[in-house]
Amino acid sequence: MSVASRLVALAAATSLLALGLTGCAQDADGPREVRITQVEPGQCFTTDEAHTLAYVVDCAEPHLYEATLRTELEGSDFPGMDAIKAKADELCPPQFVTYTGVEEAASTDYRSLAFGPTEQSWSKQNDRGLVCVVSPANGQNTTGSAKAA
């Protein structure tokens, strides 16, 4: 399944993102809540069921995703899901290799995914973030980092 196909599945499950969430570090009291498109490279996280919020944790804690790249998409008008999928397919596979040290097709441990804005979050929250992530191929929480040493 391509990054674009996974992005579509995630975007279809995404509703209007929560307003007013900022910050990217884990609080002393537990995971820090941020919009999913605001996660920074190297941060490990889990999500809510709708994939709108990320719960950033230390990578030593159980998590399902690890951000490898975050970029801002350009333009004032929503580019459409096809354009966002194309950008994810352009950026995420090479970043997977750079981050993990292996091609996704050769990895038995991780797969590449992307989270991007919806038309609603783009227009109502000025959300332009596209985040490439790696996730365990078995779909189970993991501990540690996928980053190549």
Side-chain angles (χ1 to χ4, degrees), residues 60-86:
E61 298 296 320
H63 60 276
L64 192 54
Y65 305 104
E66 184 172 349
T68 62
L69 175 78
R70 183 183 179 282
T71 190
E72 290 286 316
L73 302 172
E74 296 181 7
S76 57
D77 295 329
F78 183 68
M81 288 309 300
D82 287 342
I84 293 172
K85 290 184 294 185

Side-chain angles (χ1 to χ4, degrees), residues 76-148:
S76 57
D77 295 329
F78 183 68
M81 288 309 300
D82 287 342
I84 293 172
K85 290 184 294 185
K87 194 65 166 175
D89 279 341
E90 173 190 333
L91 297 175
C92 296
Q95 191 59 31
F96 183 96
V97 174
T98 300
Y99 200 83
T100 66
V102 298
E103 295 279 339
E104 182 180 10
S107 176
T108 58
D109 298 323
Y110 294 100
R111 61 189 172 132
S112 180
L113 300 170
F115 295 100
T118 64
E119 187 169 4
Q120 287 180 321
S121 69
W122 184 282
S123 63
K124 296 190 185 297
Q125 297 167 335
N126 200 33
D127 181 15
R128 305 290 188 270
L130 175 69
V131 178
C132 299
V133 301
V134 296
S135 183
N138 65 7
Q140 301 297 310
N141 282 339
T142 190
T143 56
S145 176
K147 189 168 186 157

